[in-house]
Amino acid sequence: MSDDDFDRLTRALRSPPPPDPAARAETLRLAMENFDRAQGSRQPPRPMSESRKGFWTGVTSMLNFLSGRQMLAATTSVAALCIGVVLIQPGLRNAPTGGVDIIPEVLATAPAKPTQPAGDEALATTPALGRSELPADAPAEPALSQPDAAGTAPATTMAPPPPPAPAAGAATEMLAEAAPAMTATAPMPGQPNSPARAKRKALAPGNAEADAGIVADGLIAETRSVPEAEPLGLVASQDTLAMAPEPSTEAFPQAAQNPIKVTAEEPVSTFSIDVDTASYAIVRSSLMAGYLPGPDEVRIEEMVNYFPYDLPAPAAGEAPFRATVTVMPAPWNNGRRLVQIALQGRLPALADRPPLNLVFLVDTSGSMQDANKLPLLKQSLGLILPQLREGDEVAIVAYAGSAGVMLPATAAAERRVILSSLDQLAAGGSTAGAEGLELAYQVAQDMTGAGEVSRILLATDGDFNVGVNDPEGLEAYVAKKRAGGTYLSVLGFGRGNLDDATMQAVAQAGNGTAAYIDTLQEARKVLVDQLSGALFPIADDVKIQVEWNPAEVAEYRLIGYETRALAREDFNNDRVDAGEIGAGHAVTAIYEITAPGSPALSVNPLRYGASEAAPSTAAPAELGYLRLRWKAPGETTSALIEVPITPDMAPVGPEARFAAAIAGFGQLLTGGTYLGNWGWDQAIALALEGRGEDAFGYRAEAVSLMRLAKALSSQ
C-alpha cells in the first residue's frame, strides 16, 4: 500500500460516509418481517394421546432397569418430596409481613416468559412483578399489612385490587418510581450505612439504554424497597427468593478531633493514658471487609499503642514505668515538630506474680451465633489456659435471657473440665448484661483471697440491649466494684452490632483494657503474648500533663486521646479515675508543636489583647515540662514524676518513625485535616523506614493495610 492509499484510508476511517436512508429502511423492514414470522410455531403440537403414550413407555422402560434396592430408594424419595410439598405450601401462604406475600398457585401457573408486544404497548400490558391474573372466583390472599386509620397495623389485610395498567405515556414515570426500589441496598453487617462509603449504581429515569433492556426482559414491575431498619425477612419475586441482611447497629464514641491550641492562651494539656488496642483491630476488620472505616471507628492513640516498641525499661528501685521523650520534624510539615512521650512499664518476674482468679463472663445471646463471635470466643479463651499456673483459678458465667454460673471456681490445671464447659456454651436469647455483670462480680469476690488478683474478662459483641437502661449507672457500678480490687477488661467479637462506645466506657470504669478480636491470631496477641500486661497492673490512674513554654512553642496539638481528655484541675485530684499500665505495657502519646514565627502557624495573632506571651521562667532550651501522676495498685494516694522536655532528649530512631507513620495512618483515615499534601505513599514510605526487626510481623501487616486503604480511598 502506498502512502497516498494509506492517507485516503485514514481519512475515510476518521470521516465515515453518511448512512444510506434507503438501505436503513430496507434493513428495518426485513427485521420486522423476521420478527413477525418468528412469533408462530414451526411445528404443530403433538397429539395428546401420542404424548401420553411416549411418556408411559419411557417410564416402563426405566423401571425395567431398576433393582429392588434402587426401586425402594426411588419410592422413598418421591414420598419425602410429597411430604415436603404439603408442609412447605402452607408456610408459603403465610409469608411474614416483613417481605412480600407469595401465592403458590400463582407461582406454579405463571408462565416463564409470556409473549410481549413491542414498544410502549409492552409497558402498558406487562403484569407487575410478583402478580398474576387470578380467576374471578379465586379466594383472597393476605397481603402486606397496612396501617389502619388509627396508625396500627392489623395482623392481616385483604389484598387490594391490582392497579390499572399505566398508559403508554406513563412508561418513563413508572421507570422513575421503580428505579430507586430496584436498586436499594441494605447494608451488610458491620458495613457503614452512609451512602458516601458505597457506590450504588441506579437506573436513571429516561435512560434509553436502561429502558430498552427492561422492556426486552419483561421486568417492568411493581417493587417494594426494603427499609434499612426492617428485621430480617423474605423478599420474593417471580424468579428469586432472597434473604435481606440486617442493618448495622454499631456504636462508637462520638468525639471531635483535637484542635490546634495557642500556647499563650492555653499552655497546659492534661489527659489520661490509654493502653486499649480495639480501634486498630476494628480498622483492620473494616479494611479486610473491603471498605474504609468511619471516622468514629478510628482512635489514633489505640492504633499507635497496638504495636510493641523497643523502649528502655525502668531500673530497679525506680517508678514502675520509665518515660522517653523524642523530638523530630513533623513528616507532613517541615515547619512543625513532633514530640513523642513514651512510657515503658516494668515486666516483673512471672514466677513472682500473685495467684490469679479469672472469671470469663461470656455473652451467649442470640446475636453471638455467628462464626466470628461465640465460636471464635471459645477458641480465644482456650488459648489462655496454658499460660496459667498452679494456684490460678477459672470460673465461667454466661448471660443471655438470664445469667448463670456455667463453671464454678476451678483450678487452672483442670483444663479438660474448663474446655468442656466452654464448649457447652450456645447462643440464644436476649442480652441481660447488667445481671451477668452482677453475678460475675459475686463469683470473683467469692474466689478472691489475700494477696490474689481477680480479673473479669467480659467477652461480647457489645449488644447491651436488654437490662442496661442507664449506661452511666452501669459505669458507676463497675467503678464501685473496681474499688474493691476486682478489675474488668472487655473483649469484643464480631461486627454488625458492636457497641464499642459502651465497651470502652465499661473497660475504663473497670480499670481494664478494651480489645477487639477478629482472628485467632489477634486472640493470641492479646491473650497470650500480652497476657501479663492485660491481667497484672503495675500502675493505676496514670495521668499526663504537659505545660508548654510559649517562648518556644506557639501552637500545639495532641494527636488522638479525644476520649481521654481531663480538666487541668483533675491532674492533682486523686479521686479522678485515669488509665492503668500493665506489666510490660508501653504507652505513646504524640504532640505536634509549632515554634513562634514559623510559617506553619495556623492561628493569627490577636489584634486586641496580649499578642505576645508573658516572659517565661523556664530554661531557654525547654520546649515544655512533663508531669506524670500514678498510684500503686490498691493505693489511694498518687506519686509525681516531673521531666523537662528538651529537643535533644532522645535520638530519633525506627521506633519514633514508625509511631509517627501510624499516627499519620490514623489521620488519613479520619480526613487528614492537618496533613496538607502528605498522603498514603508518604505514610507507607515512613512506615517502611521504621519497620525495624518486626519479629511478629505486626508492622508488615500495617504496611499492607495502608496499601489497601490507599486502593479503597481511590475508588
Side-chain angles (χ1 to χ4, degrees):
M1 177 183 292
S2 64
D3 293 340
D4 294 340
D5 294 337
F6 181 79
D7 293 339
R8 285 195 298 271
L9 178 60
T10 302
R11 288 193 298 270
L13 291 176
R14 290 179 179 176
S15 302
D20 185 1
R24 184 170 181 269
E26 179 63 17
T27 301
L28 290 176
R29 185 187 64 78
L30 292 176
M32 292 301 297
E33 290 182 0
N34 291 333
F35 177 80
D36 295 337
R37 190 180 303 111
Q39 303 307 305
S41 176
R42 297 183 178 180
Q43 297 181 358
R46 187 172 53 182
M48 183 63 69
S49 59
E50 180 180 353
S51 173
R52 290 179 177 176
K53 178 179 179 181
F55 171 76
W56 290 114
T57 301
V59 171
T60 304
S61 176
M62 178 185 68
L63 294 177
N64 290 334
F65 288 97
L66 294 179
S67 63
R69 180 175 300 180
Q70 293 171 332
M71 180 69 71
L72 178 61
T75 54
T76 304
S77 301
V78 172
L81 180 61
C82 295
I83 294 174
V85 171
V86 172
L87 294 177
I88 292 174
Q89 193 170 18
L92 291 176
R93 284 180 174 274
N94 300 321
T97 58
V100 178
D101 294 326
I102 306 171
I103 306 175
E105 294 84 355
V106 175
L107 294 180
T109 58
K113 181 169 289 190
T115 301
Q116 299 281 349
D120 288 342
E121 185 181 356
L123 295 174
T125 59
T126 303
L129 182 63
R131 298 180 181 271
S132 179
E133 297 297 330
L134 296 177
D137 57 349
E141 296 285 349
L144 295 175
S145 299
Q146 301 290 338
D148 54 20
T152 59
T156 58
T157 58
M158 303 303 292
T172 303
E173 181 180 355
M174 191 170 190
L175 278 173
E177 295 177 357
M182 295 172 66
T183 58
T185 304
M188 294 298 293
Q191 193 167 359
N193 297 328
S194 173
R197 301 186 199 164
K199 296 182 179 179
R200 298 178 179 176
K201 296 181 180 179
L203 294 175
N207 185 315
E209 183 177 354
D211 294 358
I214 295 177
V215 173
D217 290 338
L219 294 180
I220 294 299
E222 177 183 317
T223 61
R224 185 177 65 89
S225 61
V226 182
E228 292 185 348
E230 185 170 300
L232 186 65
L234 296 178
V235 181
S237 69
Q238 283 182 330
D239 302 317
T240 61
L241 184 64
M243 301 301 291
E246 294 183 358
S248 171
T249 59
E250 295 187 341
F252 297 91
Q254 305 290 321
Q257 190 175 14
N258 284 331
I260 293 176
K261 296 187 177 181
V262 178
T263 306
E265 300 172 359
E266 192 173 349
V268 179
S269 172
T270 309
F271 63 96
S272 164
I273 63 98
D274 187 3
V275 294
D276 294 345
T277 60
S279 180
Y280 179 85
I282 292 173
V283 167
R284 178 182 59 202
S285 172
S286 297
L287 292 175
M288 295 301 292
Y291 62 92
L292 293 171
D296 293 336
E297 300 177 31
V298 181
R299 291 188 291 276
I300 297 176
E301 72 278 6
E302 295 187 17
M303 297 182 65
V304 172
N305 291 325
Y306 177 86
F307 302 90
Y309 295 95
D310 185 12
L311 300 170
E318 294 182 348
F321 54 86
R322 179 177 176 179
T324 300
V325 180
T326 303
V327 181
M328 61 180 291
W332 40 83
N333 195 317
N334 293 330
R336 298 172 182 166
R337 288 179 288 181
L338 298 184
V339 177
Q340 296 188 18
I341 302 172
L343 308 180
Q344 176 61 57
R346 181 175 58 241
L347 182 61
L350 295 181
D352 298 334
R353 72 167 177 83
L356 173 65
N357 301 307
L358 198 56
V359 179
F360 295 158
L361 177 55
V362 182
D363 181 356
T364 55
S365 60
S367 63
M368 291 289 293
Q369 62 185 346
D370 296 342
N372 62 345
K373 294 185 179 181
L374 187 58
L376 177 59
L377 184 156
K378 295 178 184 179
Q379 292 179 303
S380 301
L381 295 181
L383 295 177
I384 300 179
L385 301 182
Q387 312 304 313
L388 304 181
R389 65 180 193 184
E390 186 178 356
D392 297 337
E393 290 186 335
V394 175
I396 302 176
V397 176
Y399 68 96
S402 60
V405 178
M406 300 297 295
L407 178 71
T410 303
E414 300 291 336
R415 296 182 188 176
R416 291 186 178 180
V417 176
I418 299 173
L419 290 173
S420 177
S421 297
L422 283 173
D423 189 59
Q424 292 177 13
L425 298 176
S430 57
T431 309
E435 184 179 352
L437 279 173
E438 184 177 0
L439 182 57
Y441 276 114
Q442 182 61 50
V443 171
Q445 181 178 350
D446 295 340
M447 295 171 64
T448 304
E452 297 179 349
V453 174
S454 295
R455 175 77 69 172
I456 296 175
L457 286 184
L458 169 57
T460 176
D461 62 354
D463 188 12
F464 284 89
N465 59 344
V466 175
V468 182
N469 297 323
D470 182 11
E472 294 183 359
L474 175 62
E475 295 175 35
Y477 174 79
V478 173
K480 180 180 179 181
K481 293 297 182 180
R482 172 195 70 210
T486 300
Y487 292 178
L488 180 143
S489 293
V490 182
L491 305 176
F493 291 84
R495 299 298 300 271
N497 54 353
L498 185 70
D499 190 351
D500 179 71
T502 300
M503 289 168 51
Q504 185 192 44
V506 170
Q508 290 180 7
N511 269 14
T513 59
Y516 174 76
I517 296 178
D518 55 340
T519 64
L520 200 58
Q521 180 177 350
E522 181 67 15
R524 176 178 175 81
K525 177 181 182 294
V526 173
L527 301 176
V528 177
D529 298 339
Q530 300 174 346
L531 179 66
S532 59
L535 301 181
F536 299 99
I538 59 175
D540 288 349
D541 293 341
V542 182
K543 306 171 187 176
I544 295 179
Q545 186 174 80
V546 179
E547 179 185 350
W548 295 105
N549 179 7
E552 299 291 331
V553 178
E555 298 172 349
Y556 69 89
R557 176 174 68 96
L558 177 60
I559 301 176
Y561 289 93
E562 286 84 1
T563 63
R564 295 282 189 164
L566 296 175
R568 181 175 177 178
E569 61 272 17
D570 291 342
F571 183 76
N572 294 323
N573 188 349
D574 286 343
R575 296 178 62 86
V576 175
D577 181 51
E580 285 65 46
I581 294 181
H585 258 158
V587 184
T588 299
I590 302 177
Y591 281 94
E592 183 179 18
I593 63 173
T594 310
S598 170
L601 287 174
S602 299
V603 180
N604 293 326
L606 295 175
R607 178 179 178 87
Y608 306 102
S611 58
E612 294 187 5
S616 174
T617 59
E622 287 185 10
L623 299 175
Y625 202 67
L626 171 64
R627 298 181 178 92
L628 301 168
R629 280 202 177 274
W630 62 279
K631 299 175 186 175
E635 298 293 332
T636 58
T637 303
S638 65
L640 177 64
I641 300 174
E642 296 180 304
V643 180
I645 300 176
T646 58
D648 56 350
M649 293 189 67
V652 179
E655 308 304 299
R657 291 190 180 94
F658 187 80
I662 297 301
F665 180 19
Q667 292 179 87
L668 287 171
L669 291 175
T670 55
T673 304
Y674 301 102
L675 298 184
N677 295 325
W678 197 79
W680 291 110
D681 291 336
Q682 291 80 5
I684 293 170
L686 184 60
L688 290 174
E689 290 179 16
R691 179 174 173 179
E693 182 180 355
D694 194 23
F696 300 104
Y698 300 143
R699 299 188 182 187
E701 179 192 59
V703 174
S704 297
L705 292 179
M706 290 182 186
R707 289 171 174 162
L708 179 57
K710 174 187 175 183
L712 293 174
S713 63
S714 62
Q715 291 182 353

